[in-house]
Amino acid sequence: MNYRFIINQLGLLLIVLSAVMGAVVLWVLADWLLGNASELQAVEALLTAAGIGLLSGGVMWYVGRKARSDTFGRRDALFLVAISWMVGAGLSALPFFLWVVFHPSVDSSHPFGNYVACYFESMSGLTTTGATVLSGDKPYDIESLPRGLLLWRALTHWLGGLGIVVLFVAVLPSLGVGAKKLFHTESSGITPSGVRPRIAETARILWIIYVVLTVAQIVLLRLCGMGWFDSACHTFATVATGGFSTYNASTGNPAINTPALIVIIFFMILAGANFGLYFHVLRGSIGSIFKDTEFRFYLVILAVASLIVTGSLLMNQPEITITNADVVETGVGNSALHGAFQVVSIQTTTGFATADFNQWPFLAKAVIVAVMFIGGCAGSTAGGIKVVRLWVMMKVLWAELEHVFNPNVIRPLRVGNTTVDNSLKLAVLGYVLGMALLVFGGSIVVMMLEHGNPRCDYTTAATASVATLCTIGPGLNAIGATENYGWMSTPTMAFLSILMAFGRLEIFALFVLVHPRFWMKD
Amino acid sequence: MNYRFIINQLGLLLIVLSAVMGAVVLWVLADWLLGNASELQAVEALLTAAGIGLLSGGVMWYVGRKARSDTFGRRDALFLVAISWMVGAGLSALPFFLWVVFHPSVDSSHPFGNYVACYFESMSGLTTTGATVLSGDKPYDIESLPRGLLLWRALTHWLGGLGIVVLFVAVLPSLGVGAKKLFHTESSGITPSGVRPRIAETARILWIIYVVLTVAQIVLLRLCGMGWFDSACHTFATVATGGFSTYNASTGNPAINTPALIVIIFFMILAGANFGLYFHVLRGSIGSIFKDTEFRFYLVILAVASLIVTGSLLMNQPEITITNADVVETGVGNSALHGAFQVVSIQTTTGFATADFNQWPFLAKAVIVAVMFIGGCAGSTAGGIKVVRLWVMMKVLWAELEHVFNPNVIRPLRVGNTTVDNSLKLAVLGYVLGMALLVFGGSIVVMMLEHGNPRCDYTTAATASVATLCTIGPGLNAIGATENYGWMSTPTMAFLSILMAFGRLEIFALFVLVHPRFWMKD
């Protein structure tokens, strides 16, 4: 293992995170000059964290500056990726923690008084999960945080989303065990074998696409009447399919009107699609997006699930409870808006909530849990098993069925123009099974860790496991749309932080660290 | 499709079932001569059912008598297998139903007054599930049934168990999508390609093994002090890994003493192992059993799971509640006895219960639910995904993990002396995934069908889905060890009857009927 280069790269990561914290401080100061005095609360915490990050990052970078990058192989890259999220969350948690340390006026029972809870929050940010430890009760709520911390919180999403897209599409396209290989061959313009051969070039294009999407959504939300600050924070959480809001009621806050919700739905759908597709758009070929098998299947699932949830709402209940506790009548308009918003938010693994879907009819909840597993497309910022894997899995199962009565028939399985070979089929089925086993095992561990806590029923534990592994955020019951993870014990929060990293890095990428051969010399 | 021959064979099936009913009548009459007058209650029902079966079976056999069996292909066989269990359960349900019809003295709200409930009971018998609609309250309980019906109920297990072993080992070894292929090549003595080439010969050997096991267990239980009748009924339910008892408290009735429970544990383990292995025993090579990879892994899982459950009982609770509501102290002896009994009973998918494990600590219940999925060995009477599939799945997932950091390394996967190729790996993973999806989908359907019934919580619905698909019987909460399925609505019972058939025939075998190509001419 090339530890020297790994330390060097981790140092760079810490420096970048510190620089972003510094930028937040600059924004806070500017905001203060414009008249928001209370904002200065976060400055000390952010500056101290940035200082610690800069110092430790600088030392690490310096220690490893002479490392040879030409002996940096696949295992080193995997190890670096796995440890990056762990270490990055460690630094990103500091501003939250230090804010409580520096301000004795903040109640000492504030969730951020516990470093593990801060770590959970920042891991949730960087993995674009969006699960929070902040409750809805003052002074422990989201809206009581200084705006500097809210901005930093939203930026962890944005940085994590960018990181994962660049990682999976440009740096290690084969990391996404299977699904990425498909993408690899499908959109030839963006992979090492295609038109633009170099990682740096691909990463640059993705970065541009990401920024363009971000700017576009901020402007649109502003045009819908939201303030710049809220527009930016919600945009960071949208394009990263994260889910942190600046409001206690998430997107159910009346400040986000219906046009703004529709803008958010639209951008959640874009963020859950393969970013490689937008490369074609940049080249002017918009139609080619709709020729992509995965993208079309993705839209079909979103549409069908939204229809079922909308119908289920219309038929079963007279009222919909908004996350800010308002109640609206279940008309076609409200059902379609909240049904579609919730399906899109959950399937793209964003996790925004306009309505308390925990109170919805069973069928609606079942559909929501089902799309939790599915998630977005490969090469997006979304989590879950990914639409392309679902597609391949369905095709394989259908073929296995025919295999029972036609044992000698072999039909090639195609996704777009690519033929899926047996080893790729195995990778896909293995991934889905691995995810199912992790969800099952994860929910058992949560139940054990929360032993004796009456709030943690089976449904809570199982959906906590799915919601973190698939980087969604909210689940059902005690972690439902209007609830949070702050009531859990410290060990549970630590465990769920690890699950988030597992899910974000496509489970196997982190699991390899336990494989003895990973540490052996060949 | 060679419908004529299929009808002919179905006719034979009905005739065989009717003949067994006739034998039960003879036993009842003999029993009556020995002084048990009340037994005659069941005679009319059994005779009428046998008459209907003989008549319809005879007509069907006659209609199809000139069918050519040489054009009987794989699809015909699959269709015959699928429909056999459906039709067989239809006839086997008649004695239960007719007993209520003929005896107005039986309360009209008796579960058997509903034909669908009778169908559920007989499907549960023939698929060796052991789920019952009979409650623990007189006069709707098991012990209030005439002994003739109890014997018939136990015999449906025995016939179903024999049927499935002969089917999977001798007639259609490749039906068990994957796992059976392994067996196929592993124990060369018993398959078409091996020492004894003909189906009839293999079936004859299996039949002998089955009868030998049955006789041995009956004698041993009798020696432990149980009566002949109870010994026989519990043996039928054991060797078929069924689970129907003649007592309301299942094996928790004090009439079954500790030595008898140990005999039952031993035979449940035998019944959950590959019957092909006993062929080697018949040839005098007992040691070869323990060289079988699947058998060894099976014993390891049983041992580890029993240890965990025993430890969990010892550490967490002072008392164990027996299924007859007695309470015993949690000593090492009681914990080990009830822990091991329950693990073996559930993993072999028998479903006998000595203790109300629904009241056990969470860890114990989690282990029990986990072994529900696993089930017994391929080529046994047990259900579940089967140990050999679990073995292959674990190996494949481990190899996929290495694939992430060693993309070019390919290591052959071996089970015993057999190398598992990619198409077999796919079959195994596809099966496990198919089972997981069916369990998930099944629990959603049960929740929908039981909409508004407060008894049916998520845990009940989910374990009902597992307990029927894996042919176990009891689940948790409202279908726990001391509960039953009689409270469910008629549509739910019909749905669960279908799930039992799906699980028994290794899911894909019944699913093929929905594949359009199954019905197409090539």
Side-chain angles (χ1 to χ4, degrees):
Chain A
M1 201 73 77
N2 187 342
Y3 288 111
R4 199 173 275 264
F5 189 66
I6 290 171
I7 288 173
N8 175 267
Q9 294 293 302
L10 282 177
L12 265 182
L13 172 71
L14 295 183
I15 292 169
V16 168
L17 289 174
S18 304
V20 177
M21 286 182 203
V24 174
V25 169
L26 290 181
W27 175 84
V28 172
L29 293 176
D31 199 39
W32 171 65
L33 289 175
L34 294 171
N36 292 303
S38 70
E39 303 309 320
L40 286 176
Q41 261 204 26
V43 168
E44 296 153 83
L46 281 163
L47 272 184
T48 312
I52 293 172
L54 216 54
L55 197 71
S56 54
V59 169
M60 287 165 76
W61 176 83
Y62 185 81
V63 165
R65 77 194 179 286
K66 286 183 183 161
R68 293 179 53 187
S69 62
D70 55 341
T71 64
F72 189 73
R74 192 174 174 80
R75 293 181 199 202
D76 304 276
L78 281 165
F79 186 66
L80 175 59
V81 164
I83 209 165
S84 287
W85 259 260
M86 298 292 183
V87 171
L91 176 61
S92 305
L94 273 184
F96 305 131
F97 184 64
L98 293 175
W99 170 64
V100 176
V101 171
F102 292 159
H103 291 85
S105 62
V106 176
D107 195 319
S108 65
S109 59
H110 192 285
F112 285 167
N114 176 357
Y115 180 74
V116 174
C118 299
Y119 189 84
F120 178 97
E121 193 83 4
S122 65
M123 182 63 98
S124 169
L126 289 175
T127 57
T128 79
T129 303
T132 184
V133 298
L134 298 169
S135 80
D137 304 320
K138 291 190 184 298
Y140 315 122
D141 61 332
I142 294 167
E143 291 169 18
S144 299
L145 281 192
R147 303 216 303 173
L149 287 186
L150 285 179
L151 182 60
W152 170 245
R153 193 164 161 267
L155 278 168
T156 56
H157 273 339
W158 195 78
L159 293 168
L162 180 61
I164 209 71
V165 169
V166 169
L167 178 70
F168 281 172
V169 178
V171 185
L172 274 175
S174 67
L175 185 62
V177 198
K180 295 318 168 306
K181 286 186 203 161
L182 296 174
F183 162 72
H184 193 71
T185 40
E186 265 204 310
S187 32
S188 56
I190 203 147
T191 55
S193 60
V195 178
R196 299 180 183 273
R198 279 166 318 190
I199 289 177
E201 176 67 6
T202 311
R204 197 180 65 84
I205 294 169
L206 288 169
W207 161 265
I208 292 170
I209 291 169
Y210 199 70
V211 170
V212 167
L213 281 178
T214 304
V215 172
Q217 191 187 346
I218 293 178
V219 170
L220 282 173
L221 287 182
R222 182 71 189 84
L223 291 177
C224 292
M226 287 172 66
W228 284 113
F229 176 76
D230 289 333
S231 297
C233 288
H234 284 90
T235 294
F236 296 152
T238 307
V239 294
T241 66
F244 280 153
S245 171
T246 54
Y247 300 119
N248 292 346
S250 186
T251 46
N253 188 296
I256 305 181
N257 55 24
T258 304
L261 288 178
I262 292 169
V263 167
I264 292 174
I265 291 177
F266 181 71
F267 278 87
M268 286 194 292
I269 294 174
L270 289 183
N274 192 328
F275 275 64
L277 290 176
Y278 304 138
F279 180 72
H280 298 294
V281 177
L282 283 184
R283 280 158 60 184
S285 157
I286 296 175
S288 66
I289 290 190
F290 295 97
K291 287 187 190 140
D292 184 75
T293 308
E294 184 183 23
F295 187 68
R296 287 194 299 192
F297 189 40
Y298 168 63
L299 293 184
V300 167
I301 299 171
L302 285 174
V304 171
S306 299
L307 277 177
I308 297 175
V309 171
T310 303
S312 169
L313 285 173
L314 273 175
M315 284 193 292
N316 288 290
Q317 53 183 50
E319 292 173 337
I320 295 174
T321 306
I322 304 301
T323 44
N324 68 349
D326 281 357
V327 169
V328 296
E329 259 182 52
T330 313
V332 174
N334 279 331
S335 300
L337 177 67
H338 296 292
F341 188 92
Q342 235 31 80
V343 165
V344 172
S345 167
I346 297 295
Q347 191 183 336
T348 60
T349 71
T350 307
F352 281 143
T354 59
D356 185 6
F357 53 85
N358 201 42
Q359 300 181 24
W360 287 5
F362 175 76
L363 179 61
K365 285 199 278 188
V367 168
I368 283 174
V369 170
V371 299
M372 275 187 176
F373 281 97
I374 298 173
C377 301
S380 73
T381 58
I385 61 167
K386 308 288 156 67
V387 172
V388 68
R389 287 203 185 89
L390 178 72
W391 178 259
V392 170
M393 183 189 90
M394 286 169 55
K395 291 262 190 176
V396 170
L397 290 182
W398 195 241
E400 282 300 319
L401 207 52
E402 183 173 1
H403 199 69
V404 173
F405 58 89
N406 267 345
N408 301 317
V409 170
I410 294 169
R411 293 178 206 279
L413 195 167
R414 295 181 161 280
V415 177
N417 299 320
T418 317
T419 304
V420 181
D421 64 11
N422 267 357
S423 102
L424 190 45
K425 290 180 195 167
L426 262 184
V428 169
L429 263 57
Y431 185 84
V432 178
L433 264 178
M435 183 66 99
L437 289 174
L438 265 182
V439 166
F440 185 69
S443 57
I444 288 176
V445 173
V446 171
M447 281 298 288
M448 305 279 297
L449 291 174
E450 290 296 317
H451 179 71
N453 184 343
R455 288 192 76 170
C456 192
D457 56 18
Y458 291 129
T459 305
T460 300
T463 55
S465 187
V466 185
T468 49
L469 275 165
C470 297
T471 73
I472 296 152
L476 294 175
N477 289 8
I479 52 156
T482 60
E483 304 285 340
N484 65 84
Y485 289 74
W487 54 271
M488 289 181 168
S489 68
T490 301
T492 311
M493 285 195 274
F495 176 72
L496 291 179
S497 302
I498 296 169
L499 284 195
M500 288 190 253
F502 261 89
R504 178 71 289 180
L505 300 174
E506 307 254 294
I507 63 176
F508 285 145
L510 203 51
F511 245 132
V512 290
L513 304 186
V514 303
H515 200 301
R517 280 220 177 79
F518 185 80
W519 304 101
M520 284 179 197
K521 286 191 177 154
D522 282 322
Chain B
M1 201 73 79
N2 188 343
Y3 288 111
R4 200 173 274 264
F5 189 66
I6 289 169
I7 287 173
N8 173 267
Q9 294 293 304
L10 282 177
L12 264 182
L13 172 71
L14 295 183
I15 292 168
V16 169
L17 290 174
S18 304
V20 177
M21 287 181 203
V24 174
V25 169
L26 290 180
W27 175 82
V28 171
L29 293 176
D31 199 39
W32 171 64
L33 290 175
L34 294 172
N36 290 303
S38 72
E39 303 310 320
L40 287 176
Q41 260 203 30
V43 168
E44 296 154 83
L46 281 162
L47 272 183
T48 312
I52 292 172
L54 215 55
L55 197 71
S56 53
V59 169
M60 286 164 76
W61 176 82
Y62 185 81
V63 164
R65 77 194 180 286
K66 286 182 181 163
R68 292 179 54 186
S69 63
D70 55 341
T71 65
F72 189 73
R74 190 171 175 83
R75 293 178 199 203
D76 304 275
L78 281 166
F79 186 67
L80 175 59
V81 165
I83 210 165
S84 286
W85 258 261
M86 298 290 183
V87 171
L91 176 62
S92 304
L94 272 185
F96 305 131
F97 184 64
L98 293 175
W99 170 64
V100 175
V101 171
F102 291 158
H103 291 86
S105 62
V106 177
D107 195 318
S108 65
S109 60
H110 193 284
F112 285 167
N114 175 358
Y115 179 75
V116 174
C118 299
Y119 189 84
F120 178 97
E121 192 85 3
S122 64
M123 182 62 98
S124 169
L126 289 174
T127 57
T128 79
T129 303
T132 184
V133 298
L134 298 169
S135 79
D137 304 319
K138 290 191 185 300
Y140 314 122
D141 61 332
I142 295 167
E143 291 168 18
S144 301
L145 281 193
R147 303 218 302 174
L149 286 188
L150 284 179
L151 181 60
W152 169 244
R153 192 165 162 268
L155 277 169
T156 55
H157 272 340
W158 196 77
L159 293 168
L162 181 61
I164 210 70
V165 170
V166 169
L167 178 70
F168 280 171
V169 179
V171 184
L172 272 177
S174 68
L175 185 61
V177 197
K180 297 315 169 306
K181 286 185 200 161
L182 295 175
F183 163 72
H184 192 72
T185 40
E186 265 204 311
S187 32
S188 56
I190 202 147
T191 56
S193 59
V195 178
R196 300 183 182 272
R198 279 165 319 188
I199 289 177
E201 176 67 5
T202 310
R204 197 180 65 83
I205 293 169
L206 288 170
W207 160 266
I208 291 170
I209 291 169
Y210 199 71
V211 169
V212 167
L213 281 179
T214 305
V215 172
Q217 190 186 347
I218 293 178
V219 170
L220 282 172
L221 287 182
R222 182 72 189 85
L223 291 177
C224 292
M226 287 172 66
W228 283 114
F229 175 76
D230 288 331
S231 297
C233 287
H234 285 89
T235 294
F236 295 152
T238 306
V239 295
T241 67
F244 280 155
S245 170
T246 54
Y247 300 119
N248 291 347
S250 187
T251 46
N253 188 298
I256 306 182
N257 55 23
T258 303
L261 287 179
I262 291 169
V263 167
I264 292 174
I265 290 178
F266 181 72
F267 278 87
M268 287 194 290
I269 294 174
L270 289 183
N274 192 329
F275 275 65
L277 290 175
Y278 305 136
F279 180 73
H280 298 293
V281 177
L282 283 184
R283 279 158 62 184
S285 155
I286 295 176
S288 67
I289 290 190
F290 294 97
K291 286 187 191 139
D292 184 74
T293 309
E294 184 183 23
F295 187 69
R296 287 193 299 189
F297 189 39
Y298 168 62
L299 293 184
V300 168
I301 299 171
L302 285 174
V304 171
S306 299
L307 277 177
I308 297 175
V309 171
T310 303
S312 169
L313 285 174
L314 273 174
M315 284 193 292
N316 287 291
Q317 52 183 49
E319 292 174 335
I320 295 175
T321 307
I322 304 302
T323 44
N324 69 349
D326 281 358
V327 170
V328 296
E329 259 181 54
T330 312
V332 174
N334 279 333
S335 299
L337 177 67
H338 295 292
F341 187 93
Q342 236 32 78
V343 165
V344 172
S345 167
I346 297 295
Q347 190 183 337
T348 61
T349 71
T350 307
F352 280 144
T354 58
D356 185 5
F357 53 85
N358 201 43
Q359 300 180 23
W360 287 5
F362 174 76
L363 179 61
K365 285 199 279 189
V367 168
I368 284 173
V369 170
V371 299
M372 276 187 175
F373 280 96
I374 300 173
C377 301
S380 73
T381 57
I385 61 168
K386 305 289 156 65
V387 172
V388 70
R389 285 203 187 91
L390 178 71
W391 178 259
V392 170
M393 183 187 91
M394 285 169 55
K395 292 261 192 180
V396 170
L397 289 182
W398 195 242
E400 282 299 320
L401 206 51
E402 184 175 1
H403 199 69
V404 174
F405 58 88
N406 267 345
N408 302 317
V409 170
I410 294 168
R411 295 178 205 279
L413 196 167
R414 294 181 162 282
V415 176
N417 299 321
T418 316
T419 304
V420 181
D421 64 11
N422 268 356
S423 102
L424 190 45
K425 290 179 195 169
L426 263 184
V428 169
L429 262 56
Y431 184 83
V432 177
L433 263 178
M435 183 66 100
L437 288 174
L438 266 181
V439 166
F440 185 70
S443 57
I444 288 177
V445 172
V446 170
M447 280 299 287
M448 305 280 297
L449 291 174
E450 290 296 319
H451 180 70
N453 185 343
R455 289 192 74 170
C456 191
D457 56 19
Y458 291 128
T459 305
T460 301
T463 54
S465 189
V466 185
T468 48
L469 274 166
C470 298
T471 73
I472 296 153
L476 294 175
N477 289 7
I479 51 158
T482 59
E483 304 287 337
N484 65 84
Y485 289 74
W487 54 271
M488 288 180 168
S489 69
T490 301
T492 310
M493 286 196 272
F495 175 72
L496 291 178
S497 303
I498 296 170
L499 284 195
M500 289 190 252
F502 260 89
R504 179 72 289 180
L505 300 174
E506 307 254 293
I507 65 174
F508 284 146
L510 202 53
F511 244 132
V512 290
L513 304 186
V514 303
H515 201 301
R517 281 220 176 79
F518 185 81
W519 304 101
M520 284 180 199
K521 287 190 176 156
D522 283 322

